[in-house]
Amino acid sequence: NAGVTQTPKFRILKIGQSMTLQCTQDMNHNYMYWYRQDPGMGLKLIYYSVGAGITDKGEVPNGYNVSRSTTEDFPLRLELAAPSQTSVYFCASISHRETNEKLFFGSGTQLSVL
Amino acid sequence: KNQVEQSPQSLIILEGKNCTLQCNYTVSPFSNLRWYKQDTGRGPVSLTIMTFSENTKSNGRYTATLDADTKQSSLHITASQLSDSASYICVVSADTGRRALTFGSGTRLQVQP
């Protein structure tokens, strides 16, 4: 059982470049999330999805896009990378069946925009 | 605005000692409170989850308490080990349809030999 898998683990982008952070989970979870974590700060929600075909903005969505074509996959797209997007990105998923279920995180993607 | 505040920001203790981390929150309507351990360079891992009716929950040497009246929680670590060195994050869930989670900024714990 792989849980939540994120790729890549590290990436360096030039300003204006684009990239997609991949996230997949094999637990059949309906809810999936993308967070960013800046140094010394808490996680901030970028986008979330409550099921295939449904996505919505979180606290800090500007500069990002997501899609949820399947239950398993929830990619995060950066269209025009900016230095302010330098951060560590975490994907997470949770089941909708119970309110106190565990939230599972991926191992993170460290992104630097130079 | 929903907020979660943790204290202290960082803490250094000697191996074998106990410590207590604090979490205050203003999240409404409250659903549950979670404590996570995050090792450097890794994703957070769940330690405990407590709902409104639960006052305390243990996971090995980790014991979390919850006072829903004062909106405070604590995480007590007993007989600390070097492997306890990590960030500990308090996360509060609001009782909404989208499983809204508010994260604290964490307490960085360093256990020294």
Side-chain angles (χ1 to χ4, degrees), chain B residues 68-106:
Chain B
D69 292 330
T70 62
K71 299 185 178 178
Q72 296 180 327
S73 176
S74 64
L75 180 69
H76 187 74
I77 304 175
T78 304
S80 61
Q81 300 176 358
L82 298 179
S83 59
D84 292 331
S85 295
S87 288
Y88 292 84
I89 304 172
C90 177
V91 185
V92 183
S93 177
D95 189 12
T96 65
R98 68 176 179 91
R99 297 283 191 273
L101 300 169
T102 304
F103 286 75
S105 56

Side-chain angles (χ1 to χ4, degrees), chain B residues 31-46:
Chain B
S31 177
N32 58 57
L33 185 145
R34 308 156 185 261
W35 282 94
Y36 283 84
K37 178 186 179 186
Q38 185 178 21
D39 293 314
T40 301
R42 308 293 294 273
V45 175
S46 178

